[in-house]
């Protein structure tokens, strides 16, 4: 291809010259100029598709929003998912702790104007925002967001976009220039965009693909590596470059490590692995690395956690001689650690990991940018229809996804094996179905595959404590006829093909002991559990204290670090996190709070480490009554909290 370069009003026009090349592709310095072109070519009814999560072209989205907000004759519909937002702390301590972290990690990230308007309840009547997956909990109290939510499997969103007549797609891209050719990678979000481009090429869709270049975005080879001609225009300017959204990894709690360790024993060598974001995914990955590198410790810890329970027939403890192949809608940082540890090493057509989108801390993006091209080619970003479904090219996927383990998080489960992951029984949506149902369906479609749904057995503390295992619930994400494997910190419930009686018994054995008697009574009253049934002895000590005691020696030896892969929190912040968690827990119980006040009032002079923590929150020299009160509480919490390993 030869290009004639012309500059008009500060925008670079690349007019492709060659056989069959009649398309004009423009590189713009201004998002507003791109909006001028969109309105001129598309008209005043704009159906804007924005990728899930990281891949949104924020400046273009904001410019379109501003134009529509100023011109009521424009009808703008935004179809997207997982709108990323900076944390919004509420209490004084939260603001003082997370404020500097927000500035450090998200200071240059441009807020999305439509999200700000939604939170304020001020979205103009000519603008509609439809999301099919929420940032967890972000929109529980927004009637407008709740009313415009679209319940969809991740793989169905593509068809819904087509049906709505999407005419603009605005996506963040990475740029590569080599051999006189400019190429763009959709990088973090091949998920729906790749299939949309195929539909456009086949004449099933007509939309403008708009790119916004980001210098921090890794250029990923594969299906998302596109020629400039695929784009109608590109925003490429230092003024619109910005740091990628990078949520910091959270420390892994004892309960989540226990869940990860139980799940790690269900993964077969030579198999396939899918995991999601968060502490449980990180805990599972670190547990698999422990199984590979410190196998004797992994086996001993698994037996200690079992507390005398018979290990599942599915339990595996060997090192990874053949290794695993990764196929996951989400590519999380833990996958890089699994590759580096030699756990993820079974390749499929030369690829170790196929994924549809990624999101992670800064270290994840940096690792991908710095990774040699040959290694990066072993991580291939694909359409979500590839990772989440098996209908197309089933035979190849059946062979590739041998003994697959699809591990996903849930909020609650019922004694009969139904799972609740996305919403509440009053209809309000917490997050979304995403790909969870897709992977459960795959687990039943593929030979040797299993769906593993994980959850903590309880939440809250003191009088506010509640069981996450319920007798029944008025909403379900995964129905009980698709029940498979459920894992809590207290063990594994293998439910596939079991009778209702045996399912209930298995779920009771992994429930928190504070709630077992009540749950058992409900099941017996309903006639679903034998009146003579009693819990086995090994299931009667399902308390957090036992998990903490079991894990403590392994924590102290550094085998179960709180941040196994990376952290953006400094040493003082890492010291504060467990103390603030203890404070939050104590706030649910007046007696616990009073005990902290007593201990804080009579505490000895703070150590230099504790003094630095107090200073970090501005409590070294308190001036108000509230600051004095928080200082007393925090001194006690710092003394009592177990430091992060």
């Amino acid at each position: 291809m030869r290009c004639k370069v012309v500059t008009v009003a500060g925008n670079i026009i690349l007019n492709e010259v060659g056989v069959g090349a009649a398309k004009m592709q423009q590189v713009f310095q201004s998002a507003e100029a791109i909006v001028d072109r969109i309105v001129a070519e598309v008209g005043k009814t704009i159906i804007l598709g924005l990728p899930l999560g990281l891949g949104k072209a924020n400046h273009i989205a904001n410019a379109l929003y501003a134009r529509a907000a100023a011109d009521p004759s424009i009808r703008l519909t935004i179809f997207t998912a997982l709108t990323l937002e900076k944390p919004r702390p509420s209490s004084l301590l939260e603001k003082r702790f997370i404020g500097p972290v927000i500035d450090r990690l998200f200071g240059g990230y441009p807020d999305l104007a439509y999200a700000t308007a939604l939170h304020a309840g001020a979205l103009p009547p000519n603008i509609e925002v439809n999301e099919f997956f929420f940032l967890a909990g972000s929109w529980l109290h927004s009637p407008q967001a709740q009313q415009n939510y679209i319940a969809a499997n991740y793989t169905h969103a593509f068809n819904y976009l087509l049906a709505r007549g999407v005419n603009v797609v605005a996506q963040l891209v990475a740029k590569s220039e080599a051999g006189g050719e400019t190429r763009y990678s959709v990088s973090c979000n091949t998920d729906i965009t790749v299939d949309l481009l195929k539909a456009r090429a086949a004449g099933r869709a007509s939309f403008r693909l708009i790119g916004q270049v980001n210098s921090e975005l890794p250029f990923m080879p594969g299906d998302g590596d596109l020629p400039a001609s695929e784009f109608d225009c590109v925003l490429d300017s230092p003024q619109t470059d910005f740091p990628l959204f990078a949520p910091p990894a959270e420390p892994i709690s004892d309960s989540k490590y226990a869940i990860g360790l139980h799940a790690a024993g269900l993964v077969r060598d030579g198999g396939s692995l899918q995991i999601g974001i968060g502490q449980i995914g990180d805990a599972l990955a670190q547990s698999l690395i422990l199984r590979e590198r410190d196998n004797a410790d992994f086996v001993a810890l698994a037996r200690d956690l079992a507390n005398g329970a018979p290990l599942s027939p599915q339990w595996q403890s060997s090192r990874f001689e053949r290794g695993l192949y990764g196929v996951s809608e989400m590519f999380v940082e833990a996958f890089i650690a699994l590759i580096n540890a030699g756990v993820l090493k079974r390749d499929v057509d030369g690829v170790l990991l196929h994924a549809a989108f990624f999101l992670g801390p800064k270290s994840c993006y940096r690792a991908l940018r710095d990774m040699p091209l040959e290694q990066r080619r072993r991580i291939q970003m694909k359409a979500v229809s590839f990772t989440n479904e098996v209908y197309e090219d089933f035979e190849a996927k059946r062979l590739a996804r041998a003994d697959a383990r699809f591990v996903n998080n849930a909020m609650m489960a019922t004694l009969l094996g139904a799972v609740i992951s996305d919403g509440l029984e009053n209809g309000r949506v917490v997050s979304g179905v995403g790909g969870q149902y897709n992977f459960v369906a795959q687990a039943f479609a593929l030979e040797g595959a299993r769906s593993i749904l994980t959850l903590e057995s309880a939440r809250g503390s003191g009088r506010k404590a509640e069981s996450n295992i319920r007798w029944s619930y008025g909403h379900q994400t995964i129905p009980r006829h698709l029940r498979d494997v459920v894992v809590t910190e207290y063990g594994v419930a293998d439910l596939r093909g079991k009778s209702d009686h045996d399912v209930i018994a298995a779920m009771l054995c992994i429930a928190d002991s504070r709630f077992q008697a009540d749950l058992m009574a409900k099941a017996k009253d309903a006639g679903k559990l034998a009146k003579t049934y009693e819990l086995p002895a090994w299931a009667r000590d399902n308390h957090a204290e036992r998990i903490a005691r079991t894990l403590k020696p392994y924590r102290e030896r550094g085998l179960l670090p709180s941040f196994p892969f990376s952290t953006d929190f400094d040493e003082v912040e890492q010291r504060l996190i467990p103390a603030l968690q203890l404070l939050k827990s104590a706030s649910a119980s007046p007696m616990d709070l009073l005990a902290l006040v007593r201990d804080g009032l009579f505490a000895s002079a703070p150590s230099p480490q504790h003094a630095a923590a107090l200073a970090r929150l501005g409590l070294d020299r308190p001036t108000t009554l509230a600051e004095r009160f928080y200082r007393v509480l925090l001194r006690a919490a710092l003394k009592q909290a177990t430091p992060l390993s």
Side-chain angles (χ1 to χ4, degrees):
M1 180 188 79
R2 293 184 296 114
C3 291
K4 181 180 179 183
V5 181
V6 183
T7 301
V8 178
N11 298 314
I12 303 169
I13 301 173
L14 299 180
N15 189 18
E16 297 180 9
V17 181
V19 179
K23 182 176 179 180
M24 182 176 289
Q25 188 257 331
Q26 296 187 28
V27 178
F28 287 79
Q29 307 261 323
S30 158
E32 289 71 22
I34 289 179
V35 171
D36 289 340
R37 176 167 171 172
I38 289 171
V39 174
E41 295 186 355
V42 172
K44 292 193 171 185
T45 299
I46 300 169
I47 313 296
L48 173 65
L50 292 176
L52 172 148
L54 188 64
K56 293 175 176 59
N58 287 27
H59 287 89
I60 295 165
N62 286 348
L64 276 167
Y65 177 89
R67 185 68 57 89
D71 183 354
S73 69
I74 293 175
R75 177 69 189 176
L76 173 63
T77 300
I78 299 172
F79 190 102
T80 190
L82 196 62
T83 294
L84 301 175
E85 298 181 274
K86 301 167 188 172
R88 295 187 302 277
S90 53
S91 71
L92 182 144
L93 289 188
E94 281 183 355
K95 289 176 181 177
R96 293 189 178 185
F97 176 77
I98 204 69
V101 178
I102 293 171
D103 291 341
R104 191 167 71 235
L105 298 183
F106 308 110
Y109 183 79
D111 294 326
L112 285 155
Y114 71 79
T116 302
L118 271 173
H119 281 298
L123 200 68
N126 62 318
I127 300 176
E128 182 176 318
V129 179
N130 298 126
E131 290 203 65
F132 66 88
F133 195 97
F134 289 152
L135 187 66
S138 291
W139 302 105
L140 271 173
H141 305 293
S142 170
Q144 203 165 17
Q146 290 288 330
Q147 291 163 24
N148 288 321
Y149 168 79
I150 295 175
N153 289 336
Y154 200 170
T155 50
H156 296 167
F158 159 70
N159 287 316
Y160 296 165
L161 260 175
L162 290 185
R164 285 172 171 262
V166 60
N167 51 23
V168 178
V169 174
Q171 175 141 4
L172 212 62
V173 297
K175 183 173 74 170
S176 171
E177 292 178 312
E181 181 185 14
T182 299
R183 297 186 69 86
Y184 299 102
S185 168
V186 293
S187 185
C188 55
N189 283 89
T190 47
D191 47 358
I192 295 176
T193 305
V194 166
D195 279 339
L196 283 173
L197 289 171
K198 289 179 181 177
R200 186 171 75 170
R204 296 175 54 212
S206 178
F207 59 86
R208 271 68 175 172
L209 179 61
I210 315 296
Q212 177 174 345
V213 173
N214 186 282
S215 63
E216 288 192 4
L217 197 62
F219 195 100
M220 301 300 292
D223 292 355
D225 179 354
L226 304 173
S229 58
E230 286 280 11
F231 293 83
D232 293 84
C233 47
V234 173
L235 177 63
D236 187 0
S237 169
Q239 282 68 47
T240 55
D241 201 11
F242 60 87
L244 293 175
F245 193 94
E250 296 182 74
I252 302 175
S253 66
D254 285 339
S255 61
K256 289 187 171 71
Y257 250 131
I259 292 169
L261 286 157
H262 289 308
L266 302 175
V267 178
R268 290 185 181 176
D269 184 24
S272 306
L273 181 66
Q274 178 263 327
I275 55 177
I277 194 171
Q279 297 171 61
I280 291 177
D282 287 352
L284 169 58
Q286 177 61 18
S287 299
L288 291 170
I289 293 170
L290 180 68
R291 176 175 154 184
E292 170 67 15
R293 290 179 172 171
D294 301 280
N295 190 259
D297 286 309
F298 173 80
V299 173
L301 179 50
R303 294 190 183 279
D304 290 345
L305 274 176
N307 197 37
L311 292 171
S312 166
Q314 299 289 329
W315 191 63
Q316 306 282 310
S317 62
S318 66
R319 289 188 169 91
F320 295 95
E321 298 298 326
R322 295 178 58 203
L324 304 176
Y325 154 65
V327 55
S328 184
E329 79 175 20
M330 186 171 188
F331 166 20
V332 293
E333 184 182 31
F335 276 117
I336 298 177
L338 288 169
I339 292 172
N340 293 338
V343 174
L344 210 68
K345 62 183 177 183
R346 181 174 75 84
D347 70 276
V348 172
D349 298 326
V351 177
L352 297 176
L353 171 67
H354 283 115
F357 79 99
F358 62 73
L359 174 66
K362 289 182 178 294
S363 57
C364 180
Y365 309 143
R366 184 167 55 249
L368 287 172
R369 289 195 305 269
D370 295 344
M371 192 178 290
L373 181 59
E374 286 307 308
Q375 291 183 27
R376 217 180 319 149
R377 285 198 176 109
R378 305 194 80 188
I379 299 170
Q380 291 283 311
M381 303 301 293
K382 304 285 283 186
V384 74
S385 58
F386 175 89
T387 58
N388 290 31
E389 291 181 337
V390 292
Y391 306 126
E392 186 177 344
D393 204 8
F394 175 77
E395 186 59 23
K397 288 181 178 179
R398 182 186 69 82
L399 294 172
R401 300 177 190 189
D403 291 327
R405 296 294 181 266
F406 303 111
V407 188
N408 291 287
N409 300 338
M411 299 189 302
M412 292 173 279
T414 71
L415 278 186
L416 286 163
V419 174
I420 302 96
S421 305
D422 65 317
L424 307 178
E425 56 188 346
N426 65 4
R428 287 190 297 163
V429 179
V430 176
S431 53
V433 178
Q436 187 167 110
Y437 182 90
N438 292 143
F439 289 113
V440 172
Q442 278 195 68
F444 282 88
L446 296 168
E447 184 178 350
R450 303 301 298 266
S451 163
I452 301 169
L453 296 177
T454 65
L455 69 152
E456 291 182 286
S457 64
R459 64 179 181 273
S461 59
R463 294 179 181 178
K464 294 184 179 180
E466 293 182 77
S467 176
N468 285 330
I469 296 178
R470 307 295 182 94
W471 166 239
S472 62
Y473 198 73
H475 170 74
Q476 297 178 0
T477 311
I478 305 300
R480 78 193 226 205
H481 68 269
L482 289 174
R483 59 197 181 196
D484 199 349
V485 179
V486 176
V487 177
T488 75
E489 64 269 39
Y490 300 116
V492 176
D494 189 342
L495 312 179
R496 185 184 285 199
K498 303 289 177 63
S499 68
D500 280 359
H501 180 280
D502 289 348
V503 165
I504 291 169
M507 291 296 290
L508 283 169
C509 288
I510 63 169
D512 188 296
S513 287
R514 291 172 294 176
F515 309 104
Q516 285 170 323
D518 180 61
L519 288 167
M520 193 187 312
K522 286 186 169 79
K524 289 181 177 180
D525 289 345
K528 298 295 286 185
L529 189 68
K531 294 289 187 182
T532 56
Y533 175 81
E534 293 185 3
L535 282 169
W538 50 261
R540 297 175 188 172
D541 187 19
N542 288 355
H543 295 100
E545 293 79 10
R546 174 173 69 81
I547 299 297
R549 286 196 307 271
T550 302
L551 297 187
K552 185 178 180 181
Y554 298 90
R555 289 273 207 179
E556 290 173 343
R557 290 172 54 200
L559 297 175
L560 304 175
S562 296
F563 297 99
F565 309 125
S566 69
T567 178
D568 290 306
F569 295 112
D570 62 29
E571 289 186 10
V572 175
E573 290 162 350
Q574 290 180 52
R575 192 172 297 114
L576 276 167
I577 287 171
L580 293 174
Q581 290 172 336
L582 190 151
L583 270 181
K584 183 177 180 180
S585 177
S587 66
S589 167
M591 295 303 295
D592 289 346
L593 207 58
L594 282 172
L596 280 180
V597 170
R598 182 195 63 225
D599 291 351
L601 285 171
F602 295 101
S604 56
S607 66
Q609 292 83 3
H610 289 180
L614 291 166
R616 169 65 174 73
L617 296 184
L619 299 177
D620 50 336
R621 294 184 177 86
T623 57
T624 67
L625 186 61
E627 287 180 339
R628 291 189 181 95
F629 179 66
Y630 279 126
R631 175 184 168 87
V632 168
L633 288 175
L634 191 61
R635 287 183 66 185
L638 284 165
K639 182 180 177 182
Q640 294 181 24
T642 303
L644 294 177
S645 55

